[in-house]
Structure formats: C-alpha cells, structure tokens
Amino acid sequence: MREIRLMKGNEAIAEAAIRCGVDGYFGYPITPQSEIMETLMLEKPWEKTGMVVLQAESEIASINMVYGGAGCGKKVMTTSSSPGVSLMQEGITYLAGAELPCVVVNVVRGGPGLGTIQPAQSDYFQAVKGGGHGDYKLIVLAPSSVQEMADFVELAFDLAFKYRNPAMILSDGMIGQMMEKVEMKPFTPRWTDEEIVQMHPWATTGKPSSRERNIITSVELDANAFERFNHKLQAKYKQIEENEVRSEMFECEDADYLLVAYGSSARICQKAVQLLRAKGIKAGLLRPITLFPFPTKEIQALLGHVKGILSVELSAGQMVEDVRLAVEGKVKVEHFGRLGGVVHSPEEVVEALQSKIIGG
Amino acid sequence: MNEEIIIAGFGGQGVLSMGKILAYSGVMQDMEVSWMPSYGPEMRGGTANVTVILSDSRISSPILKMYDTAIILNQQSMDKFEKFVKPGGLLLYDGNGITRHPQRKDINVFRVDAAEEASKMQSSKTFNMIVLGGYLKIRPIVSMENVMNGLKKSLPDRHHHMLPLNKAAIERGLEIVQEVQTV
C-alpha cells in the first residue's frame, strides 16, 4: 500500500536515510536544517536498523567521521547549512581526493558569513565549482520538492557509490522547512559486512591473506603519479557528465523565452511561467536537477526557438555563468534573483523577464 | 480547485498548527498540498504566518504574493496582508484586538470572534479550531470527515483525547462566523 505522509523537507531526508539503509549519520545542529537530526533522534533508528546517529562536537568532526565511515565502505552522511558546510570543505576535498562515496546535505541559508537563517541559493559556486582546494567535483543534486528531498537521498548514495565520489544534496531553507505530501519507499536493509567486502573491494574492511592492503588516502608525493591520478579523476568526472545529467522541462517545446532555475527558485518560476503564458508570452522553464553535471546540451537543444534566457536564482548570479557557457553567446542571457534570504515572488520573476530580456 | 491561503497572527495562537491541520485535511481528500511557514527571526519576535495551498493539480510556488484567502488574527497581520488578498478573494478575521478593520471594498470580508468564543468554551486552545470552523463555513473545500481525519493525523496520539473538544470548536466556528461584506 502507498504510504502518503505530510512532512517537512528536512524530516523527509531523515526518514529516507533510515529507509535506504544508511549506516551512519554525523552532524551538528544549525538552522534551517536542525529537524534532520531531531527527526533521526526521535526515530531512534539504532534500535530498528542499527544505524548510528551521532551529534558530533562540530561540523569539522562530523565530516571527518564521515571520512572514517566511508573508508570502511559504509553508507554515511552528514547535513548542515551554509556556514557549517564551509567548515566541512577541507574534509570534503579529502573525501573527493580519496575517492570516497558519501552524502553531504546543504540546506542553504543566506550568506556570506554567519548570514541569515532564511532561504538562499548562494552556495552554488561552493557546491559545483569546488569549495575546497584542488581539481575535484561533487555530484550535486538539487531537489525542488519534499518528495525529491526523500528520493534524492537514495539517488545520491547510488551515484556516490557508482562513481566512488562524494555527492551533495543542495537544498535550501524553503524546501527544508515546507511541508508537502511524500510517498515513502519501503525499508531496504543495511548492507551486511560480507556484502560490503564483496561490493566494495577498495574499502578498508580488514586485510585477508588473499589480497594486498587497501589504503585510503589523498596524499601522493610523486608528482608524476599524482598527475596520473588527477587524470583518472578527470576521466571519471567526464563519465559522470556523459551519463548522469538530469533535468526537467516545463512548457519548453514552443518557448520563445526560457527561465533556468533549480530547487526552490524553480518552483517559483513554474508559477511565473503560468503567469507569463496567461499574458500570452510563450515562456518555459528548464530545471537542472543535477547541477554537476550541468544540463548544458539540454539548454543548447532549445536554442533553435528560444530568443532569450533568464537565470533565476536566490543569489547574485552564480548558475548564470554555466548557462552562459552553454549558450556560447548565441542568445541573450541575464540573471535575476533576490539576495540574503529574501525570496522572489513569481510576479517579480515575470517583471524581470519582461524588463531584462523581452524589453531589454 | 486551487485555494491559496495565508494564515497570520501571533506566535502561540496556533497559526502553524491550524495550517497543518488544513493541509492534512487536504491530504485526506487526495489533494495536492503545501505548507510553508515563516520560520525566520519574526517567529522569535511574536508574529507567525503560514502559506497553505490546496489544489487538484501539482503545486508550483509555495511562496506567493497574492492570496485567495487571508485569515488574519492580529492587527500587525491585518496591516501587512489585507492588501495581498486577490480582488474578489476572502478576508476572514478575528475582531479581538483589531482597531483598524478591513478597508477594502473589492473583497469578501467575514469575521469570526474566536478569542471571545474560546474563553466562553473555557479553553484558549480551541481558538484556532474555531477560526478553522469559520473558514470551512465560507469555503467548504474539505469535508468535515476529512478535517477530523486530518486532525487525528496531525495530533500526536497522546493528544487524541482532545479530538471531541476540537470537533466542538470547529462546529462552534461554523455557527458564529458572520458576514461583514460580500462582493
């Protein structure tokens, strides 16, 4: 029987984590995502599935606990919000450098600095372009509904293990705090130790006499060897770009004007498209679901009929750079977005398209 | 059917839980729903509001500028949200503490004196359910059966003995809501 519940986005992440067989959650509270750990503590999954839930002493400790768990081939995750995710960046680049699968959730709030607790999308660069040091990429998923908050936990783990790479769910205070209907998947049991040994031969699960030691590290002092490793990473990212792009189109088939928006802003833009269509303006919405890999080809495929593009983000203009790279100057691309925790209304998006693209 | 509602008042009046019960009633009636609270610093400062959308089709933006219905439970919220009711929409308010009553002539205005009624029922906790009853009288978008199912779902089990009192409060709201003007 389908199990429909009314849940906050944050609660859905916690419930989905228990249900998809996560082994460990390590986190530190911060608004607007504290309900994730609160829900886990209420549900007491250690009594049901054996999942560990631990409030660490800091975000830095959390991400390093994730490193340890991931090195053992376990399904481990952490969640935080912008300032907390900044603290985790060293650990995240180490995870990427050691090719460890894990899931990091960022329920973004307005920055820079300690900022505000209201929704923002100003951590796009940090999530997609690096954040930590070195040439690495995260697989970045952007849920735009509470249902996707639940579904993307499992998807993020699937992709993380498929590519041995950290995956990030980039959400924000709006999707985290709102309640919607969610259909929960049935419980999947946690992997047994034997399954982990079999599925993840790279993991540090204890050395049998039949193989060499497994070493989890991101250090390599021989530059030539490290260049070869970097090329291997780049080849992996290329493969991710070829295979894992996900996006959703809304009224794009005949669109003269295109909005590009992800997450909460995509929800607002869907309404804006309805308002624009009611005015007789043929607008459409392309919603990137994966931010890395970015739906470059999907945008390019629309350039035959699209005359102008507005990238709508709760930021000063970050994703707009990737939209411009996709468009290669063929049509006008502008940015619109409110900042610092203020959320734009669908009406403001309509006005922005009219003033910056149609009339501009 | 697509009903876009803002409920606004003081923290502690049950604004968020009233929205949650309404949203859960919609779930019980197989509708699409969204519930988007104000969770920022204003929550700590005393005022609270929640946007609830009930719809037969997929809901786009959970944050809105204009509403079909505004349920207004204090003066600050009246000052802030009266202007955001769509022309021909509904403004429902509790007269308690209101010094500046609705001014607009292009919207439907109803009044439910729930605070006064809750004190007559000797339970301040019934306040938000009296308001909900008043709303459902004007906009019967969910059946009473589904409201009760929604209430049961959103109240923790330990509070289920309160269900009859809540039902009585909703029914009282249905009776006492008064029309101020219709357009």
Side-chain angles (χ1 to χ4, degrees):
Chain A
M1 207 193 98
R2 292 168 74 216
E3 188 185 344
I4 304 278
R5 292 163 66 176
L6 186 68
M7 294 178 106
K8 283 190 173 191
N10 289 335
E11 295 165 346
I13 284 193
E15 182 69 29
I18 300 170
R19 284 174 182 246
C20 78
V22 170
D23 295 301
Y25 171 94
F26 311 94
Y28 189 80
I30 180 171
T31 305
Q33 63 83 56
S34 294
E35 293 87 356
I36 300 176
M37 190 158 48
E38 285 168 10
T39 304
L40 287 169
M41 291 294 182
L42 276 172
E43 292 291 323
K44 297 188 172 76
W46 52 89
E47 290 175 0
K48 296 174 203 157
T49 71
M51 175 183 175
V52 171
V53 181
L54 194 146
Q55 180 176 336
E57 67 269 36
S58 71
E59 289 86 351
I60 297 172
S62 307
I63 196 70
N64 285 295
M65 289 174 185
V66 166
Y67 187 101
C72 301
K74 300 277 186 185
K75 266 188 175 177
V76 287
M77 67 186 291
T78 184
T79 68
S80 190
S81 180
S82 309
V85 177
S86 291
L87 281 170
M88 292 182 184
Q89 290 305 321
E90 182 198 42
I92 291 173
T93 172
Y94 276 51
L95 281 149
E99 291 196 276
L100 290 177
C102 68
V103 173
V104 178
V105 180
N106 184 357
V107 183
V108 179
R109 55 192 246 177
L114 199 50
T116 175
I117 59 174
Q118 315 283 31
Q121 297 180 311
S122 43
D123 297 355
Y124 178 92
F125 282 154
Q126 186 195 54
V128 173
K129 308 289 178 189
H133 60 278
D135 276 320
Y136 77 91
K137 295 278 187 191
L138 303 177
I139 298 164
V140 184
L141 301 171
S144 82
S145 65
V146 176
Q147 183 69 54
E148 286 188 342
M149 289 285 258
D151 294 345
F152 286 6
V153 175
E154 190 175 10
L155 175 62
F157 273 111
D158 286 350
L159 293 170
F161 276 93
K162 184 173 175 188
Y163 294 99
R164 279 188 62 188
N165 202 73
M168 176 172 275
I169 296 175
L170 189 69
S171 180
D172 64 56
M174 180 168 139
I175 305 290
Q177 292 294 327
M178 72 185 284
M179 285 204 282
E180 288 187 307
K181 281 196 321 194
V182 193
E183 185 176 351
M184 279 292 162
K185 289 193 175 156
F187 281 88
T188 323
R190 287 171 51 229
W191 292 326
T192 62
D193 288 349
E194 293 73 29
E195 283 171 328
I196 291 174
V197 169
Q198 204 190 355
M199 292 160 70
H200 314 308
W202 48 265
T204 48
T205 46
K207 182 191 169 304
S209 53
S210 55
R211 65 160 167 83
E212 287 299 302
R213 279 188 303 161
N214 283 341
I215 300 172
I216 304 284
T217 182
S218 65
V219 71
E220 171 56 73
L221 296 179
D222 175 348
N224 287 316
F226 202 46
E227 186 183 41
R228 282 195 298 279
F229 174 73
N230 263 281
H231 280 308
K232 186 186 143 202
L233 279 186
Q234 293 304 316
K236 176 169 83 174
Y237 302 146
K238 184 96 186 141
Q239 206 191 345
I240 294 170
E241 283 184 297
E242 276 162 20
N243 299 330
E244 304 300 346
V245 173
R246 288 164 171 79
S247 66
E248 186 187 23
M249 308 266 188
F250 181 72
E251 307 266 0
C252 285
E253 304 77 29
D254 63 340
D256 290 332
Y257 301 100
L258 186 67
L259 303 176
V260 182
Y262 69 93
S264 56
S265 185
R267 294 288 296 266
I268 295 159
C269 285
Q270 202 188 321
K271 180 100 181 176
V273 167
Q274 290 163 351
L275 296 174
L276 285 157
R277 292 256 166 188
K279 286 175 171 236
I281 297 167
K282 283 200 243 169
L285 166 68
L286 187 143
R287 172 171 81 92
I289 294 171
T290 50
L291 300 178
F292 178 81
F294 191 72
T296 302
K297 288 179 187 152
E298 286 68 14
I299 292 175
Q300 287 169 345
L302 298 172
L303 294 179
H305 52 88
V306 164
K307 295 176 204 157
I309 300 179
L310 190 67
S311 179
V312 187
E313 320 159 45
L314 297 168
S315 77
Q318 302 192 10
M319 181 179 69
V320 64
E321 293 189 2
D322 286 331
V323 179
R324 286 200 174 114
L325 285 172
V327 170
E328 293 176 324
K330 293 192 180 88
V331 299
K332 189 173 182 185
V333 178
E334 293 291 343
H335 160 265
F336 172 72
R338 300 293 300 267
L339 306 176
V342 180
V343 178
H344 36 247
S345 67
E347 287 80 1
E348 284 175 298
V349 177
V350 168
E351 280 169 32
L353 184 79
Q354 287 181 312
S355 64
K356 292 184 173 220
I357 299 291
I358 300 175
Chain B
M1 207 289 297
N2 189 59
E3 170 84 343
E4 300 173 339
I5 308 154
I6 180 112
I7 310 168
F10 288 120
Q13 277 179 317
V15 165
L16 299 187
S17 61
M18 175 184 165
K20 188 174 170 186
I21 290 158
L22 188 55
Y24 244 126
S25 310
V27 173
M28 295 296 127
Q29 202 149 309
D30 213 17
M31 293 162 130
E32 296 303 319
V33 304
S34 77
W35 175 95
M36 180 70 221
S38 60
Y39 69 90
E42 72 272 20
M43 285 270 291
R44 279 106 172 146
T47 65
N49 70 69
V50 61
T51 302
V52 177
I53 306 175
L54 290 90
S55 180
D56 294 331
S57 52
R58 178 175 157 177
I59 293 167
S60 54
S61 177
I63 287 185
L64 302 163
K65 196 171 163 194
M66 301 295 286
Y67 306 91
D68 298 309
T69 294
I71 299 174
I72 289 176
L73 305 174
N74 66 9
Q75 186 64 55
Q76 288 96 314
S77 303
M78 183 73 81
D79 297 341
K80 186 168 177 189
F81 291 110
E82 181 186 0
K83 55 183 170 294
F84 295 132
V85 179
K86 293 177 192 169
L90 166 67
L91 189 156
L92 171 68
Y93 75 107
D94 183 335
N96 184 41
I98 297 288
T99 50
R100 195 193 59 83
H101 291 258
Q103 310 285 304
R104 281 175 60 180
K105 296 289 165 229
D106 62 338
I107 56 174
N108 300 296
V109 179
F110 285 76
R111 178 170 167 167
V112 58
D113 285 335
E116 188 185 316
E117 204 59 32
S119 74
K120 280 188 204 157
M121 290 178 82
Q122 295 183 331
S123 169
S124 61
K125 286 187 176 161
T126 59
F127 168 79
N128 62 348
M129 290 301 96
I130 299 171
V131 177
L132 180 62
Y135 170 71
L136 291 170
K137 171 80 180 184
I138 314 161
R139 291 273 162 92
I141 52 172
V142 276
S143 70
M144 192 48 132
E145 188 192 347
N146 284 326
V147 173
M148 289 313 293
N149 288 337
L151 193 57
K152 209 180 274 180
K153 277 272 190 183
S154 58
L155 278 184
D157 287 350
R158 65 178 190 280
H159 290 150
H160 277 189
H161 67 279
M162 302 285 282
L163 287 170
L165 179 64
N166 278 291
K167 185 161 194 258
I170 294 171
E171 283 163 354
R172 195 72 196 114
L174 290 166
E175 290 162 17
I176 64 163
V177 65
Q178 323 156 31
E179 177 186 319
V180 178
Q181 69 180 35
T182 53
V183 293

